[in-house]
PDB file of all heavy atoms in Angstrom:
ATOM      1  N   ALA A   1      42.539 -33.553  23.660  1.00 96.00           N
ATOM      2  CA  ALA A   1      41.245 -33.936  23.147  1.00 96.00           C
ATOM      3  C   ALA A   1      41.192 -35.492  22.986  1.00 96.00           C
ATOM      4  O   ALA A   1      40.134 -36.122  23.305  1.00 96.00           O
ATOM      5  CB  ALA A   1      40.951 -33.274  21.820  1.00 96.00           C
ATOM      6  N   ARG A   2      42.265 -36.117  22.522  1.00 96.00           N
ATOM      7  CA  ARG A   2      42.194 -37.541  22.325  1.00 96.00           C
ATOM      8  C   ARG A   2      42.152 -38.325  23.605  1.00 96.00           C
ATOM      9  O   ARG A   2      41.383 -39.263  23.747  1.00 96.00           O
ATOM     10  CB  ARG A   2      43.376 -37.996  21.472  1.00 96.00           C
ATOM     11  CG  ARG A   2      43.560 -39.497  21.448  1.00 96.00           C
ATOM     12  CD  ARG A   2      44.420 -40.047  20.381  1.00 96.00           C
ATOM     13  NE  ARG A   2      44.546 -41.478  20.555  1.00 96.00           N
ATOM     14  CZ  ARG A   2      45.114 -42.317  19.718  1.00 96.00           C
ATOM     15  NH1 ARG A   2      45.651 -41.846  18.615  1.00 96.00           N
ATOM     16  NH2 ARG A   2      45.178 -43.644  19.994  1.00 96.00           N
ATOM     17  N   PHE A   3      43.001 -37.982  24.554  1.00 97.00           N
ATOM     18  CA  PHE A   3      43.156 -38.770  25.750  1.00 97.00           C
ATOM     19  C   PHE A   3      42.322 -38.262  26.897  1.00 97.00           C
ATOM     20  O   PHE A   3      42.197 -38.939  27.953  1.00 97.00           O
ATOM     21  CB  PHE A   3      44.617 -38.863  26.189  1.00 97.00           C
ATOM     22  CG  PHE A   3      45.457 -39.659  25.243  1.00 97.00           C
ATOM     23  CD1 PHE A   3      46.224 -39.033  24.270  1.00 97.00           C
ATOM     24  CD2 PHE A   3      45.482 -41.018  25.299  1.00 97.00           C
ATOM     25  CE1 PHE A   3      47.047 -39.787  23.396  1.00 97.00           C
ATOM     26  CE2 PHE A   3      46.239 -41.783  24.418  1.00 97.00           C
ATOM     27  CZ  PHE A   3      47.000 -41.199  23.475  1.00 97.00           C
ATOM     28  N   GLN A   4      41.742 -37.082  26.764  1.00 96.00           N
ATOM     29  CA  GLN A   4      40.906 -36.485  27.833  1.00 96.00           C
ATOM     30  C   GLN A   4      41.661 -36.399  29.071  1.00 96.00           C
ATOM     31  O   GLN A   4      41.118 -36.720  30.196  1.00 96.00           O
ATOM     32  CB  GLN A   4      39.578 -37.304  27.983  1.00 96.00           C
ATOM     33  CG  GLN A   4      38.687 -37.264  26.729  1.00 96.00           C
ATOM     34  CD  GLN A   4      38.146 -35.868  26.490  1.00 96.00           C
ATOM     35  OE1 GLN A   4      37.394 -35.303  27.310  1.00 96.00           O
ATOM     36  NE2 GLN A   4      38.483 -35.271  25.352  1.00 96.00           N
ATOM     37  N   GLN A   5      42.912 -36.046  29.000  1.00 96.00           N
ATOM     38  CA  GLN A   5      43.778 -35.898  30.152  1.00 96.00           C
ATOM     39  C   GLN A   5      44.578 -34.622  30.029  1.00 96.00           C
ATOM     40  O   GLN A   5      44.869 -34.149  28.906  1.00 96.00           O
ATOM     41  CB  GLN A   5      44.760 -37.087  30.239  1.00 96.00           C
ATOM     42  CG  GLN A   5      44.130 -38.410  30.393  1.00 96.00           C
ATOM     43  CD  GLN A   5      43.545 -38.631  31.795  1.00 96.00           C
ATOM     44  OE1 GLN A   5      43.856 -37.909  32.731  1.00 96.00           O
ATOM     45  NE2 GLN A   5      42.643 -39.599  31.950  1.00 96.00           N
ATOM     46  N   PRO A   6      44.993 -34.039  31.133  1.00 96.00           N
ATOM     47  CA  PRO A   6      45.907 -32.888  31.067  1.00 96.00           C
ATOM     48  C   PRO A   6      47.221 -33.308  30.381  1.00 96.00           C
ATOM     49  O   PRO A   6      47.699 -34.451  30.504  1.00 96.00           O
ATOM     50  CB  PRO A   6      46.182 -32.557  32.558  1.00 96.00           C
ATOM     51  CG  PRO A   6      45.071 -33.184  33.297  1.00 96.00           C
ATOM     52  CD  PRO A   6      44.722 -34.400  32.539  1.00 96.00           C
ATOM     53  N   VAL A   7      47.769 -32.384  29.589  1.00 98.00           N
ATOM     54  CA  VAL A   7      49.041 -32.678  28.899  1.00 98.00           C
ATOM     55  C   VAL A   7      50.040 -31.618  29.317  1.00 98.00           C
ATOM     56  O   VAL A   7      49.740 -30.460  29.479  1.00 98.00           O
ATOM     57  CB  VAL A   7      48.818 -32.606  27.357  1.00 98.00           C
ATOM     58  CG1 VAL A   7      50.089 -32.903  26.614  1.00 98.00           C
ATOM     59  CG2 VAL A   7      47.695 -33.557  26.900  1.00 98.00           C
ATOM     60  N   LEU A   8      51.274 -32.057  29.491  1.00 98.00           N
ATOM     61  CA  LEU A   8      52.354 -31.151  29.836  1.00 98.00           C
ATOM     62  C   LEU A   8      53.136 -30.741  28.547  1.00 98.00           C
ATOM     63  O   LEU A   8      53.637 -31.594  27.870  1.00 98.00           O
ATOM     64  CB  LEU A   8      53.333 -31.818  30.790  1.00 98.00           C
ATOM     65  CG  LEU A   8      54.598 -31.026  31.214  1.00 98.00           C
ATOM     66  CD1 LEU A   8      54.196 -29.714  31.873  1.00 98.00           C
ATOM     67  CD2 LEU A   8      55.468 -31.895  32.098  1.00 98.00           C
ATOM     68  N   GLY A   9      53.048 -29.494  28.231  1.00 98.00           N
ATOM     69  CA  GLY A   9      53.782 -28.925  27.048  1.00 98.00           C
ATOM     70  C   GLY A   9      55.144 -28.419  27.455  1.00 98.00           C
ATOM     71  O   GLY A   9      55.251 -27.484  28.260  1.00 98.00           O
ATOM     72  N   LEU A  10      56.139 -28.954  26.890  1.00 98.00           N
ATOM     73  CA  LEU A  10      57.509 -28.559  27.142  1.00 98.00           C
ATOM     74  C   LEU A  10      58.140 -27.960  25.874  1.00 98.00           C
ATOM     75  O   LEU A  10      57.967 -28.482  24.765  1.00 98.00           O
ATOM     76  CB  LEU A  10      58.415 -29.738  27.552  1.00 98.00           C
ATOM     77  CG  LEU A  10      57.956 -30.558  28.820  1.00 98.00           C
ATOM     78  CD1 LEU A  10      58.939 -31.644  29.097  1.00 98.00           C
ATOM     79  CD2 LEU A  10      57.771 -29.626  30.036  1.00 98.00           C
ATOM     80  N   ASP A  11      58.879 -26.842  26.031  1.00 97.00           N
ATOM     81  CA  ASP A  11      59.549 -26.280  24.873  1.00 97.00           C
ATOM     82  C   ASP A  11      60.706 -25.380  25.353  1.00 97.00           C
ATOM     83  O   ASP A  11      60.671 -24.879  26.498  1.00 97.00           O
ATOM     84  CB  ASP A  11      58.584 -25.407  24.032  1.00 97.00           C
ATOM     85  CG  ASP A  11      59.068 -25.256  22.545  1.00 97.00           C
ATOM     86  OD1 ASP A  11      59.993 -24.475  22.334  1.00 97.00           O
ATOM     87  OD2 ASP A  11      58.519 -25.936  21.695  1.00 97.00           O
ATOM     88  N   ILE A  12      61.722 -25.302  24.542  1.00 96.00           N
ATOM     89  CA  ILE A  12      62.902 -24.550  24.848  1.00 96.00           C
ATOM     90  C   ILE A  12      62.668 -23.069  24.574  1.00 96.00           C
ATOM     91  O   ILE A  12      63.385 -22.197  25.098  1.00 96.00           O
ATOM     92  CB  ILE A  12      64.155 -25.010  24.054  1.00 96.00           C
ATOM     93  CG1 ILE A  12      65.428 -24.550  24.709  1.00 96.00           C
ATOM     94  CG2 ILE A  12      64.046 -24.605  22.595  1.00 96.00           C
ATOM     95  CD1 ILE A  12      66.666 -25.171  24.129  1.00 96.00           C
ATOM     96  N   ALA A  13      61.617 -22.687  23.772  1.00 95.00           N
ATOM     97  CA  ALA A  13      61.362 -21.367  23.356  1.00 95.00           C
ATOM     98  C   ALA A  13      60.275 -20.752  24.230  1.00 95.00           C
ATOM     99  O   ALA A  13      59.110 -21.122  24.122  1.00 95.00           O
ATOM    100  CB  ALA A  13      60.950 -21.298  21.877  1.00 95.00           C
ATOM    101  N   GLU A  14      60.622 -19.816  25.081  1.00 95.00           N
ATOM    102  CA  GLU A  14      59.668 -19.223  25.990  1.00 95.00           C
ATOM    103  C   GLU A  14      58.548 -18.510  25.247  1.00 95.00           C
ATOM    104  O   GLU A  14      57.420 -18.468  25.731  1.00 95.00           O
ATOM    105  CB  GLU A  14      60.387 -18.270  26.978  1.00 95.00           C
ATOM    106  CG  GLU A  14      61.307 -19.048  27.939  1.00 95.00           C
ATOM    107  CD  GLU A  14      61.975 -18.118  28.973  1.00 95.00           C
ATOM    108  OE1 GLU A  14      61.595 -16.929  28.981  1.00 95.00           O
ATOM    109  OE2 GLU A  14      62.804 -18.591  29.705  1.00 95.00           O
ATOM    110  N   GLY A  15      58.893 -17.870  24.125  1.00 94.00           N
ATOM    111  CA  GLY A  15      57.865 -17.186  23.346  1.00 94.00           C
ATOM    112  C   GLY A  15      56.792 -18.096  22.879  1.00 94.00           C
ATOM    113  O   GLY A  15      55.587 -17.755  22.851  1.00 94.00           O
ATOM    114  N   MET A  16      57.172 -19.294  22.460  1.00 95.00           N
ATOM    115  CA  MET A  16      56.176 -20.295  22.064  1.00 95.00           C
ATOM    116  C   MET A  16      55.270 -20.679  23.204  1.00 95.00           C
ATOM    117  O   MET A  16      54.053 -20.791  23.010  1.00 95.00           O
ATOM    118  CB  MET A  16      56.922 -21.538  21.492  1.00 95.00           C
ATOM    119  CG  MET A  16      57.466 -21.375  20.118  1.00 95.00           C
ATOM    120  SD  MET A  16      56.133 -21.291  18.823  1.00 95.00           S
ATOM    121  CE  MET A  16      57.144 -21.506  17.343  1.00 95.00           C
ATOM    122  N   LEU A  17      55.870 -20.805  24.409  1.00 97.00           N
ATOM    123  CA  LEU A  17      55.040 -21.272  25.540  1.00 97.00           C
ATOM    124  C   LEU A  17      54.102 -20.226  25.965  1.00 97.00           C
ATOM    125  O   LEU A  17      52.961 -20.460  26.345  1.00 97.00           O
ATOM    126  CB  LEU A  17      56.001 -21.657  26.700  1.00 97.00           C
ATOM    127  CG  LEU A  17      56.825 -22.919  26.509  1.00 97.00           C
ATOM    128  CD1 LEU A  17      57.859 -23.010  27.568  1.00 97.00           C
ATOM    129  CD2 LEU A  17      55.937 -24.141  26.475  1.00 97.00           C
ATOM    130  N   ARG A  18      54.504 -18.944  25.861  1.00 96.00           N
ATOM    131  CA  ARG A  18      53.578 -17.842  26.209  1.00 96.00           C
ATOM    132  C   ARG A  18      52.372 -17.851  25.270  1.00 96.00           C
ATOM    133  O   ARG A  18      51.225 -17.680  25.678  1.00 96.00           O
ATOM    134  CB  ARG A  18      54.322 -16.487  26.131  1.00 96.00           C
ATOM    135  CG  ARG A  18      55.174 -16.175  27.304  1.00 96.00           C
ATOM    136  CD  ARG A  18      55.589 -14.707  27.335  1.00 96.00           C
ATOM    137  NE  ARG A  18      56.395 -14.370  26.179  1.00 96.00           N
ATOM    138  CZ  ARG A  18      57.740 -14.466  26.089  1.00 96.00           C
ATOM    139  NH1 ARG A  18      58.415 -14.956  27.112  1.00 96.00           N
ATOM    140  NH2 ARG A  18      58.409 -14.122  25.021  1.00 96.00           N
ATOM    141  N   TYR A  19      52.644 -18.057  23.985  1.00 95.00           N
ATOM    142  CA  TYR A  19      51.545 -18.132  23.002  1.00 95.00           C
ATOM    143  C   TYR A  19      50.691 -19.352  23.227  1.00 95.00           C
ATOM    144  O   TYR A  19      49.458 -19.249  23.253  1.00 95.00           O
ATOM    145  CB  TYR A  19      52.117 -18.134  21.555  1.00 95.00           C
ATOM    146  CG  TYR A  19      51.079 -18.155  20.518  1.00 95.00           C
ATOM    147  CD1 TYR A  19      50.619 -16.937  20.069  1.00 95.00           C
ATOM    148  CD2 TYR A  19      50.591 -19.310  19.970  1.00 95.00           C
ATOM    149  CE1 TYR A  19      49.596 -16.908  19.055  1.00 95.00           C
ATOM    150  CE2 TYR A  19      49.592 -19.317  19.028  1.00 95.00           C
ATOM    151  CZ  TYR A  19      49.127 -18.115  18.539  1.00 95.00           C
ATOM    152  OH  TYR A  19      48.108 -18.095  17.589  1.00 95.00           O
ATOM    153  N   ALA A  20      51.310 -20.514  23.517  1.00 96.00           N
ATOM    154  CA  ALA A  20      50.521 -21.739  23.749  1.00 96.00           C
ATOM    155  C   ALA A  20      49.624 -21.551  24.933  1.00 96.00           C
ATOM    156  O   ALA A  20      48.443 -21.955  24.929  1.00 96.00           O
ATOM    157  CB  ALA A  20      51.487 -22.912  23.921  1.00 96.00           C
ATOM    158  N   ARG A  21      50.174 -20.948  25.993  1.00 95.00           N
ATOM    159  CA  ARG A  21      49.379 -20.791  27.241  1.00 95.00           C
ATOM    160  C   ARG A  21      48.142 -19.871  26.919  1.00 95.00           C
ATOM    161  O   ARG A  21      47.066 -20.145  27.478  1.00 95.00           O
ATOM    162  CB  ARG A  21      50.232 -20.116  28.307  1.00 95.00           C
ATOM    163  CG  ARG A  21      49.587 -20.014  29.691  1.00 95.00           C
ATOM    164  CD  ARG A  21      50.520 -19.433  30.706  1.00 95.00           C
ATOM    165  NE  ARG A  21      51.661 -20.305  30.992  1.00 95.00           N
ATOM    166  CZ  ARG A  21      52.939 -20.031  30.611  1.00 95.00           C
ATOM    167  NH1 ARG A  21      53.197 -18.903  30.020  1.00 95.00           N
ATOM    168  NH2 ARG A  21      53.884 -20.876  30.934  1.00 95.00           N
ATOM    169  N   SER A  22      48.312 -18.899  26.066  1.00 95.00           N
ATOM    170  CA  SER A  22      47.204 -18.024  25.736  1.00 95.00           C
ATOM    171  C   SER A  22      46.108 -18.720  24.977  1.00 95.00           C
ATOM    172  O   SER A  22      44.943 -18.255  24.951  1.00 95.00           O
ATOM    173  CB  SER A  22      47.711 -16.807  24.946  1.00 95.00           C
ATOM    174  OG  SER A  22      47.980 -17.196  23.595  1.00 95.00           O
ATOM    175  N   GLN A  23      46.402 -19.867  24.362  1.00 93.00           N
ATOM    176  CA  GLN A  23      45.401 -20.596  23.551  1.00 93.00           C
ATOM    177  C   GLN A  23      44.735 -21.683  24.351  1.00 93.00           C
ATOM    178  O   GLN A  23      43.761 -22.211  23.870  1.00 93.00           O
ATOM    179  CB  GLN A  23      46.133 -21.203  22.353  1.00 93.00           C
ATOM    180  CG  GLN A  23      46.928 -20.305  21.460  1.00 93.00           C
ATOM    181  CD  GLN A  23      46.018 -19.241  20.869  1.00 93.00           C
ATOM    182  OE1 GLN A  23      45.071 -19.572  20.082  1.00 93.00           O
ATOM    183  NE2 GLN A  23      46.303 -17.969  21.129  1.00 93.00           N
ATOM    184  N   GLY A  24      45.235 -21.955  25.560  1.00 85.00           N
ATOM    185  CA  GLY A  24      44.605 -22.933  26.442  1.00 85.00           C
ATOM    186  C   GLY A  24      44.834 -24.343  25.938  1.00 85.00           C
ATOM    187  O   GLY A  24      45.666 -24.589  25.055  1.00 85.00           O
ATOM    188  N   PRO A  25      44.166 -25.347  26.502  1.00 92.00           N
ATOM    189  CA  PRO A  25      43.170 -25.267  27.595  1.00 92.00           C
ATOM    190  C   PRO A  25      43.798 -25.068  28.974  1.00 92.00           C
ATOM    191  O   PRO A  25      45.002 -25.343  29.123  1.00 92.00           O
ATOM    192  CB  PRO A  25      42.384 -26.539  27.474  1.00 92.00           C
ATOM    193  CG  PRO A  25      43.416 -27.485  27.004  1.00 92.00           C
ATOM    194  CD  PRO A  25      44.297 -26.766  26.102  1.00 92.00           C
ATOM    195  N   ALA A  26      42.975 -24.735  29.934  1.00 91.00           N
ATOM    196  CA  ALA A  26      43.519 -24.450  31.273  1.00 91.00           C
ATOM    197  C   ALA A  26      43.990 -25.719  31.931  1.00 91.00           C
ATOM    198  O   ALA A  26      44.862 -25.691  32.817  1.00 91.00           O
ATOM    199  CB  ALA A  26      42.388 -23.833  32.133  1.00 91.00           C
ATOM    200  N   SER A  27      43.570 -26.885  31.454  1.00 92.00           N
ATOM    201  CA  SER A  27      43.999 -28.102  32.113  1.00 92.00           C
ATOM    202  C   SER A  27      45.424 -28.518  31.711  1.00 92.00           C
ATOM    203  O   SER A  27      46.034 -29.370  32.368  1.00 92.00           O
ATOM    204  CB  SER A  27      43.069 -29.250  31.704  1.00 92.00           C
ATOM    205  OG  SER A  27      43.091 -29.466  30.296  1.00 92.00           O
ATOM    206  N   CYS A  28      46.026 -27.874  30.676  1.00 96.00           N
ATOM    207  CA  CYS A  28      47.371 -28.190  30.258  1.00 96.00           C
ATOM    208  C   CYS A  28      48.341 -27.255  30.983  1.00 96.00           C
ATOM    209  O   CYS A  28      48.007 -26.130  31.335  1.00 96.00           O
ATOM    210  CB  CYS A  28      47.525 -28.020  28.781  1.00 96.00           C
ATOM    211  SG  CYS A  28      46.576 -29.304  27.824  1.00 96.00           S
ATOM    212  N   ALA A  29      49.571 -27.775  31.150  1.00 97.00           N
ATOM    213  CA  ALA A  29      50.627 -26.947  31.798  1.00 97.00           C
ATOM    214  C   ALA A  29      51.754 -26.729  30.804  1.00 97.00           C
ATOM    215  O   ALA A  29      51.977 -27.549  29.866  1.00 97.00           O
ATOM    216  CB  ALA A  29      51.114 -27.680  33.078  1.00 97.00           C
ATOM    217  N   TRP A  30      52.480 -25.643  31.002  1.00 97.00           N
ATOM    218  CA  TRP A  30      53.490 -25.239  30.004  1.00 97.00           C
ATOM    219  C   TRP A  30      54.809 -24.938  30.732  1.00 97.00           C
ATOM    220  O   TRP A  30      54.799 -24.082  31.631  1.00 97.00           O
ATOM    221  CB  TRP A  30      53.015 -24.078  29.175  1.00 97.00           C
ATOM    222  CG  TRP A  30      51.608 -24.206  28.712  1.00 97.00           C
ATOM    223  CD1 TRP A  30      50.458 -23.737  29.334  1.00 97.00           C
ATOM    224  CD2 TRP A  30      51.204 -24.883  27.516  1.00 97.00           C
ATOM    225  NE1 TRP A  30      49.378 -24.140  28.580  1.00 97.00           N
ATOM    226  CE2 TRP A  30      49.773 -24.799  27.493  1.00 97.00           C
ATOM    227  CE3 TRP A  30      51.881 -25.549  26.494  1.00 97.00           C
ATOM    228  CZ2 TRP A  30      49.063 -25.371  26.436  1.00 97.00           C
ATOM    229  CZ3 TRP A  30      51.146 -26.128  25.495  1.00 97.00           C
ATOM    230  CH2 TRP A  30      49.733 -26.039  25.456  1.00 97.00           C
ATOM    231  N   VAL A  31      55.846 -25.609  30.395  1.00 98.00           N
ATOM    232  CA  VAL A  31      57.127 -25.444  31.077  1.00 98.00           C
ATOM    233  C   VAL A  31      58.279 -25.321  30.120  1.00 98.00           C
ATOM    234  O   VAL A  31      58.389 -26.117  29.137  1.00 98.00           O
ATOM    235  CB  VAL A  31      57.366 -26.717  31.982  1.00 98.00           C
ATOM    236  CG1 VAL A  31      58.724 -26.642  32.677  1.00 98.00           C
ATOM    237  CG2 VAL A  31      56.236 -26.835  33.005  1.00 98.00           C
ATOM    238  N   THR A  32      59.174 -24.390  30.407  1.00 97.00           N
ATOM    239  CA  THR A  32      60.391 -24.242  29.593  1.00 97.00           C
ATOM    240  C   THR A  32      61.342 -25.374  29.946  1.00 97.00           C
ATOM    241  O   THR A  32      61.607 -25.613  31.131  1.00 97.00           O
ATOM    242  CB  THR A  32      61.089 -22.858  29.916  1.00 97.00           C
ATOM    243  OG1 THR A  32      60.202 -21.844  29.686  1.00 97.00           O
ATOM    244  CG2 THR A  32      62.289 -22.677  28.982  1.00 97.00           C
ATOM    245  N   ALA A  33      61.749 -26.074  28.918  1.00 97.00           N
ATOM    246  CA  ALA A  33      62.584 -27.293  29.150  1.00 97.00           C
ATOM    247  C   ALA A  33      63.395 -27.663  27.958  1.00 97.00           C
ATOM    248  O   ALA A  33      63.045 -27.341  26.816  1.00 97.00           O
ATOM    249  CB  ALA A  33      61.669 -28.500  29.551  1.00 97.00           C
ATOM    250  N   ASP A  34      64.536 -28.270  28.215  1.00 97.00           N
ATOM    251  CA  ASP A  34      65.472 -28.745  27.227  1.00 97.00           C
ATOM    252  C   ASP A  34      65.257 -30.259  27.116  1.00 97.00           C
ATOM    253  O   ASP A  34      65.315 -30.976  28.079  1.00 97.00           O
ATOM    254  CB  ASP A  34      66.894 -28.428  27.684  1.00 97.00           C
ATOM    255  CG  ASP A  34      67.952 -28.807  26.676  1.00 97.00           C
ATOM    256  OD1 ASP A  34      67.692 -29.675  25.765  1.00 97.00           O
ATOM    257  OD2 ASP A  34      69.055 -28.246  26.749  1.00 97.00           O
ATOM    258  N   ALA A  35      65.052 -30.751  25.908  1.00 97.00           N
ATOM    259  CA  ALA A  35      64.785 -32.173  25.677  1.00 97.00           C
ATOM    260  C   ALA A  35      65.990 -33.055  26.139  1.00 97.00           C
ATOM    261  O   ALA A  35      65.780 -34.235  26.391  1.00 97.00           O
ATOM    262  CB  ALA A  35      64.514 -32.430  24.213  1.00 97.00           C
ATOM    263  N   GLU A  36      67.152 -32.477  26.243  1.00 97.00           N
ATOM    264  CA  GLU A  36      68.318 -33.230  26.632  1.00 97.00           C
ATOM    265  C   GLU A  36      68.481 -33.266  28.164  1.00 97.00           C
ATOM    266  O   GLU A  36      69.371 -33.963  28.691  1.00 97.00           O
ATOM    267  CB  GLU A  36      69.579 -32.689  25.962  1.00 97.00           C
ATOM    268  CG  GLU A  36      69.576 -32.848  24.446  1.00 97.00           C
ATOM    269  CD  GLU A  36      70.735 -32.203  23.798  1.00 97.00           C
ATOM    270  OE1 GLU A  36      71.777 -32.087  24.452  1.00 97.00           O
ATOM    271  OE2 GLU A  36      70.586 -31.830  22.624  1.00 97.00           O
ATOM    272  N   ALA A  37      67.638 -32.539  28.875  1.00 97.00           N
ATOM    273  CA  ALA A  37      67.690 -32.524  30.373  1.00 97.00           C
ATOM    274  C   ALA A  37      66.296 -32.262  30.883  1.00 97.00           C
ATOM    275  O   ALA A  37      65.936 -31.172  31.359  1.00 97.00           O
ATOM    276  CB  ALA A  37      68.668 -31.470  30.887  1.00 97.00           C
ATOM    277  N   LEU A  38      65.434 -33.283  30.752  1.00 98.00           N
ATOM    278  CA  LEU A  38      63.984 -33.117  31.046  1.00 98.00           C
ATOM    279  C   LEU A  38      63.789 -32.879  32.571  1.00 98.00           C
ATOM    280  O   LEU A  38      64.308 -33.640  33.426  1.00 98.00           O
ATOM    281  CB  LEU A  38      63.200 -34.374  30.633  1.00 98.00           C
ATOM    282  CG  LEU A  38      63.168 -34.558  29.091  1.00 98.00           C
ATOM    283  CD1 LEU A  38      62.477 -35.857  28.774  1.00 98.00           C
ATOM    284  CD2 LEU A  38      62.434 -33.400  28.406  1.00 98.00           C
ATOM    285  N   PRO A  39      62.972 -31.914  32.938  1.00 97.00           N
ATOM    286  CA  PRO A  39      62.678 -31.687  34.349  1.00 97.00           C
ATOM    287  C   PRO A  39      61.527 -32.593  34.882  1.00 97.00           C
ATOM    288  O   PRO A  39      60.551 -32.132  35.429  1.00 97.00           O
ATOM    289  CB  PRO A  39      62.229 -30.206  34.362  1.00 97.00           C
ATOM    290  CG  PRO A  39      61.561 -30.034  33.023  1.00 97.00           C
ATOM    291  CD  PRO A  39      62.336 -30.912  32.098  1.00 97.00           C
ATOM    292  N   LEU A  40      61.704 -33.876  34.642  1.00 98.00           N
ATOM    293  CA  LEU A  40      60.669 -34.891  34.969  1.00 98.00           C
ATOM    294  C   LEU A  40      61.275 -36.009  35.779  1.00 98.00           C
ATOM    295  O   LEU A  40      62.460 -36.362  35.544  1.00 98.00           O
ATOM    296  CB  LEU A  40      60.007 -35.416  33.719  1.00 98.00           C
ATOM    297  CG  LEU A  40      59.366 -34.406  32.785  1.00 98.00           C
ATOM    298  CD1 LEU A  40      59.008 -35.035  31.486  1.00 98.00           C
ATOM    299  CD2 LEU A  40      58.155 -33.777  33.443  1.00 98.00           C
ATOM    300  N   ARG A  41      60.478 -36.570  36.647  1.00 98.00           N
ATOM    301  CA  ARG A  41      60.991 -37.737  37.429  1.00 98.00           C
ATOM    302  C   ARG A  41      61.119 -38.947  36.563  1.00 98.00           C
ATOM    303  O   ARG A  41      60.421 -39.152  35.552  1.00 98.00           O
ATOM    304  CB  ARG A  41      60.033 -38.038  38.591  1.00 98.00           C
ATOM    305  CG  ARG A  41      59.937 -37.011  39.661  1.00 98.00           C
ATOM    306  CD  ARG A  41      59.123 -37.513  40.854  1.00 98.00           C
ATOM    307  NE  ARG A  41      57.870 -38.087  40.450  1.00 98.00           N
ATOM    308  CZ  ARG A  41      56.734 -37.389  40.301  1.00 98.00           C
ATOM    309  NH1 ARG A  41      56.765 -36.090  40.480  1.00 98.00           N
ATOM    310  NH2 ARG A  41      55.617 -38.012  39.995  1.00 98.00           N
ATOM    311  N   SER A  42      62.049 -39.781  36.945  1.00 98.00           N
ATOM    312  CA  SER A  42      62.230 -41.074  36.218  1.00 98.00           C
ATOM    313  C   SER A  42      60.966 -41.937  36.347  1.00 98.00           C
ATOM    314  O   SER A  42      60.279 -41.867  37.403  1.00 98.00           O
ATOM    315  CB  SER A  42      63.423 -41.813  36.771  1.00 98.00           C
ATOM    316  OG  SER A  42      64.645 -41.090  36.573  1.00 98.00           O
ATOM    317  N   ASP A  43      60.654 -42.667  35.375  1.00 98.00           N
ATOM    318  CA  ASP A  43      59.521 -43.586  35.341  1.00 98.00           C
ATOM    319  C   ASP A  43      58.235 -42.905  35.698  1.00 98.00           C
ATOM    320  O   ASP A  43      57.393 -43.447  36.403  1.00 98.00           O
ATOM    321  CB  ASP A  43      59.738 -44.746  36.327  1.00 98.00           C
ATOM    322  CG  ASP A  43      61.072 -45.444  36.081  1.00 98.00           C
ATOM    323  OD1 ASP A  43      61.327 -45.784  34.895  1.00 98.00           O
ATOM    324  OD2 ASP A  43      61.845 -45.667  37.066  1.00 98.00           O
TER     325      ASP A  43
END
């Protein structure tokens, strides 16, 4: 809502992500991830 941009939601708990996905919005994406090994490109 603040940035008016899609946001990537990352969490280690799959149950949380399932719930988050059910709440929307559709523009956001939800990925199971460990903060110590992020599945994201550098920079």
Side-chain angles (χ1 to χ4, degrees):
R2 169 163 176 174
F3 291 98
Q4 295 294 299
Q5 298 289 342
V7 182
L8 177 59
L10 303 181
D11 204 284
I12 198 172
E14 293 183 7
M16 283 289 191
L17 292 170
R18 284 194 297 271
Y19 183 86
R21 187 178 294 112
S22 74
Q23 303 301 300
S27 61
C28 293
W30 313 95
V31 176
T32 305
D34 184 338
E36 295 175 27
L38 294 174
L40 300 170
R41 294 190 309 275
S42 297
D43 306 311

